[in-house]
Amino acid sequence: MAGPSPNSQKVSFLKSKILHVAQTSVYQVKLQPPDSVIGFLNNQGRVVNYSLDGENIELRCSETNLPGSSLATHDVTNDYPGVTEKMAYRRIFDETIDFTFMVDRDYSVIEFLDGWMNYVTGDGTTFSRADMVDRTAYYRVNYPENYKSDNLYITKWEKDNSNSSMTYQFIGAFPINIIS
């Protein structure tokens, strides 16, 4: 049995459908840590003050990616003799997002992310930085509700001002890795 025969299309029709694809690198990132983290950053005497520098940090994000997802499946065998079927039972979202930042001369982006991670591990809340040189230093992490943020957004939009956009909100987000 032959498949369907191809339709003839005009070039102008194909151009109108194919040439207006989404741009991959046009987005806005909003990183809003919880109030406890902002208070910690502001009280540490660091270079970064999120209340003043937060927008600048967000503007320095030069690259990110939209999250992916997949379906978790299980095999169903022997409903029909000799047939194995896959059945979906849950949607799984990517656990991490990568951001690339341009670092300014004050290193405020690094101070911001490093400070947030310090708050998570208790550096400066349960002990001071000076205590880290002690061989008996320990980590006592803060409670997750104090360092996880529900206010991390990536908004994907188009350059042509077509008002088409897509926004992802991340629940329970916090930095887990800083690479050079």
Side-chain angles (χ1 to χ4, degrees):
M1 176 176 182
S5 59
N7 298 333
S8 62
Q9 302 290 342
K10 293 185 177 184
V11 173
S12 60
F13 174 78
L14 291 175
K15 286 168 94 175
S16 70
K17 297 295 181 188
I18 296 173
L19 294 181
H20 297 289
V21 296
Q23 302 295 314
T24 58
S25 62
V26 185
Y27 57 87
Q28 178 182 11
V29 172
K30 179 71 177 159
L31 303 168
Q32 179 70 43
D35 291 338
S36 57
V37 174
I38 292 172
F40 173 76
L41 291 171
N42 294 345
N43 290 330
Q44 290 298 303
R46 297 176 185 262
V47 175
V48 63
N49 179 329
Y50 188 80
S51 303
L52 302 173
D53 297 327
E55 185 176 318
N56 291 334
I57 291 169
E58 293 164 358
L59 290 173
R60 288 190 177 102
C61 182
S62 62
E63 186 177 338
T64 189
N65 55 353
L66 295 177
S69 67
S70 60
L71 294 176
T73 62
H74 68 276
D75 291 336
V76 176
T77 56
N78 293 328
D79 275 355
Y80 303 100
V83 176
T84 300
E85 299 177 283
K86 288 202 177 294
M87 301 292 177
Y89 65 89
R90 178 170 291 161
R91 188 169 180 184
I92 302 171
F93 294 92
D94 288 348
E95 292 182 2
T96 60
I97 298 175
D98 298 322
F99 296 104
T100 302
F101 290 94
M102 295 178 285
V103 178
D104 61 335
R105 292 182 180 179
D106 294 331
Y107 301 104
S108 59
V109 173
I110 294 172
E111 287 284 341
F112 166 66
L113 294 171
D114 193 41
W116 193 343
M117 290 178 80
N118 285 341
Y119 181 79
V120 170
T121 60
D123 180 1
T125 59
T126 57
F127 57 88
S128 70
R129 281 190 170 187
D131 293 333
M132 290 302 293
V133 298
D134 184 357
R135 295 210 182 260
T136 62
Y138 60 92
Y139 285 98
R140 185 173 180 185
V141 297
N142 282 297
Y143 290 104
E145 60 266 11
N146 293 335
Y147 63 77
K148 288 184 174 185
S149 175
D150 293 343
N151 294 318
L152 193 149
Y153 298 91
I154 297 176
T155 300
K156 169 77 179 82
W157 48 276
E158 297 303 318
K159 287 182 185 178
D160 64 1
N161 295 325
S162 63
N163 292 328
S164 61
S165 66
M166 170 188 268
T167 300
Y168 289 85
Q169 178 183 8
F170 300 91
I171 307 299
F174 62 98
I176 60 170
N177 187 16
I178 300 175
I179 58 173
S180 57

